[in-house]
Amino acid sequence: MTAPVRIGLLGLGQRGLQHLNSLTQLRDEGLVEIVALMDAFPQNLDPDKLRSHVKGLEPNAVHLSSDFRATLDAVPMDAVWFAIPPAVHNGEVVAAAEKGLHLFVEKPVSLYLDEALAMRRAIDQAGVIAAVGFQQRHSPQNDAVRTFLADKKPLMITVVSNSPLESHNVKHTHTETLGGPKNRVWTANLEWSGSTVVEAGIHQTDLMRYWLGSAPDSDKGDIEWVEANYLHRDPDDIEDGGDNPYAYRVAYGFKNGAVANLLFSRLRKVFYSDGYNSLLWTHGHLKFEGREIAAYYYDGEYPPKDRPTMEQLRHVLPTTPQQDDMTTALDRAFVNAVASRDTSGLRNDFASSLNSHAAVLGANVSDKLGGKRVVLQELLYDDVYAEFRRKPDRK
């Protein structure tokens, strides 16, 4: 029997606690040993708090620390989970890679492409396994869409997501001590979140790529360019640092010729969310309708003698039952890859995920440049975009 993978986790906020619940389940299955829990804020390491959020966890049996680098030196580990806000990375991923540890990094991995590229170089040089937290790639619904579109020519994707600005709960990172918003809901703040498209829309962006065939060993489904315009929030409509734009219009061009529309809104005092997903291929369109995914197309004698009925046009895609929840499925895939040194079960890796990160950060750049088309390869590597890749010195 393979020895359990020794796990450390940095960041015990909302997302980190979700991963810790999944890792505790995998611990109970004998797949992992949780050896270290780390957070910059000692109150997040309080054993009673951890027990209240994670059933079955006994924190006193785990190394608890607010000193990440000291823990790297003191505690033998095989892999580290990173679940910290994208604005507060400070070389931790690179340091772990240089130690030879395998890396699971929550999205967005950074708000700055130079920093993300430095992480990738360290990962490549160390030869470690690294993946990013796109759990929706582990949904049977999204698998069904991907399978259905595999032999078709996609044309256009439209994703609409409307939510209140206050949709997130109070976070566990004490941003008020770091120059951030006093209510600690950093996801509503432009500087800390990088915009709603970066913090949240990266999921829909990555899903578009997954639907179109994205995989770690292929650029199929990759985005080539982005154009964006944001409707920025009025200065007199900013409370507690919640200054993210009202609405976002983002257009993507894919390498396979397809285009996509990502439409987001974050309105204050609405407290209501809705959305819409539509995918067109050359001879039909596919829609998410509640728990069903319906493909509308005609496959009878052509031309038909009579107008086709709805029964002839609407085809519900078959889906398999969800086994693990998406986060547990994602964590399980990564743990299995580390244990076996076989990455074939991973649905993304760090390198391939950079296309999703570049796309959403490129949307910010396009908005700043008045909606200019930004080619992602140029954004990542050309000197003309160097100022947009650079992490500012806040010291």
Side-chain angles (χ1 to χ4, degrees):
M1 180 177 176
T2 304
V5 176
R6 297 170 298 179
I7 298 297
L9 189 153
L10 174 63
L12 292 163
Q14 183 183 57
R15 188 62 179 149
L17 290 168
Q18 290 169 353
H19 280 295
L20 188 53
N21 271 286
S22 293
L23 292 169
T24 300
Q25 176 182 328
L26 299 182
R27 179 209 63 187
D28 292 344
E29 297 176 22
L31 299 178
V32 306
E33 179 186 0
I34 302 169
V35 297
L37 298 176
M38 299 157 281
D39 194 281
F41 301 100
Q43 53 267 56
N44 291 338
L45 295 164
D46 179 76
D48 289 336
K49 177 182 179 181
L50 292 172
R51 290 188 194 97
S52 71
H53 284 277
V54 184
K55 184 179 179 180
L57 179 71
E58 181 41 64
N60 292 332
V62 180
H63 182 88
L64 305 177
S65 177
S66 292
D67 192 327
F68 174 75
R69 284 175 170 77
T71 302
L72 284 187
D73 293 333
V75 182
M77 290 181 276
D78 300 308
V80 183
W81 264 243
F82 293 89
I84 59 179
V88 302
H89 280 274
N90 189 28
E92 296 90 351
V93 172
V94 171
E98 290 174 346
K99 283 280 189 180
L101 301 178
H102 305 289
L103 311 173
F104 181 99
V105 189
E106 261 303 332
K107 45 59 59 184
V109 301
S110 174
L111 300 185
Y112 313 101
L113 284 171
D114 276 349
E115 186 170 56
L117 289 168
M119 294 176 188
R120 179 183 176 176
R121 287 192 296 271
I123 290 164
D124 290 346
Q125 289 168 8
V128 297
I129 298 169
V132 178
F134 292 117
Q135 72 272 11
Q136 294 184 47
R137 289 187 176 221
H138 291 266
S139 157
Q141 277 195 323
N142 294 320
D143 287 341
V145 173
R146 179 185 175 92
T147 299
F148 181 79
L149 293 176
D151 61 351
K152 297 172 178 62
K153 181 180 179 180
L155 300 177
M156 184 169 69
I157 302 173
T158 299
V159 173
V160 180
S161 176
N162 299 312
S163 289
L165 185 67
E166 308 91 343
S167 60
H168 275 289
N169 295 326
V170 171
K171 298 296 186 181
H172 300 250
T173 297
H174 294 262
T175 53
E176 70 277 10
T177 68
L178 302 172
K182 292 182 179 180
N183 66 357
R184 296 158 56 192
V185 186
W186 57 265
T187 53
N189 181 265
L190 184 59
E191 181 181 5
W192 276 76
S193 69
S195 78
T196 305
V197 166
V198 173
E199 186 273 324
I202 193 170
H203 275 302
Q204 285 85 349
T205 299
D206 189 74
L207 264 185
M208 293 177 185
R209 294 180 56 229
Y210 187 65
W211 291 334
L212 299 188
S214 167
D217 58 353
S218 170
D219 65 356
K220 186 177 182 181
D222 275 3
I223 296 168
E224 186 172 21
W225 55 261
V226 58
E227 299 172 351
N229 300 100
Y230 301 166
L231 295 176
H232 290 270
R233 193 165 299 276
D234 295 334
D236 61 359
D237 191 24
I238 297 171
E239 297 181 22
D240 295 328
D243 62 350
N244 263 331
Y246 290 112
Y248 306 77
R249 181 206 64 88
V250 181
Y252 293 131
F254 290 81
K255 290 183 179 180
N256 64 9
V259 295
N261 308 289
L262 178 60
L263 307 175
F264 254 77
S265 72
R266 286 293 186 269
L267 306 182
R268 191 187 304 283
K269 301 180 182 180
V270 174
F271 301 104
Y272 172 77
S273 298
D274 65 4
Y276 172 83
N277 294 334
S278 170
L279 299 92
L280 309 184
W281 73 96
T282 49
H283 293 94
H285 67 273
L286 183 153
K287 293 171 63 180
F288 283 64
E289 297 179 341
R291 294 185 177 182
E292 293 184 333
I293 303 170
Y296 291 85
Y297 62 91
Y298 176 71
D299 62 356
E301 179 183 352
Y302 187 81
K305 294 179 182 179
D306 300 302
R307 184 178 179 86
T309 65
M310 184 58 68
E311 288 74 21
Q312 292 174 298
L313 295 178
R314 186 177 186 269
H315 309 268
V316 176
L317 270 58
T319 59
T320 59
Q322 181 87 45
Q323 301 297 324
D324 289 327
D325 66 83
M326 288 185 289
T327 296
T328 303
L330 174 66
D331 288 339
R332 184 185 299 278
F334 186 72
V335 166
N336 288 340
V338 171
S340 65
R341 299 301 191 269
D342 178 1
T343 60
S344 61
L346 292 180
R347 300 190 179 187
N348 75 69
D349 61 14
F350 194 96
S352 64
S353 293
L354 274 176
N355 186 252
S356 296
H357 288 82
V360 293
L361 291 172
N364 286 354
V365 174
S366 176
D367 174 66
K368 290 176 182 176
L369 298 177
K372 175 184 175 179
R373 177 171 295 186
V374 175
V375 176
L376 299 192
Q377 188 70 9
E378 296 173 359
L379 176 64
L380 282 164
Y381 301 110
D382 284 9
D383 289 344
V384 68
Y385 289 110
E387 65 177 294
F388 296 104
R389 292 193 298 268
R390 190 177 302 119
K391 184 174 184 177
D393 185 359
R394 292 198 176 100
K395 293 181 180 179

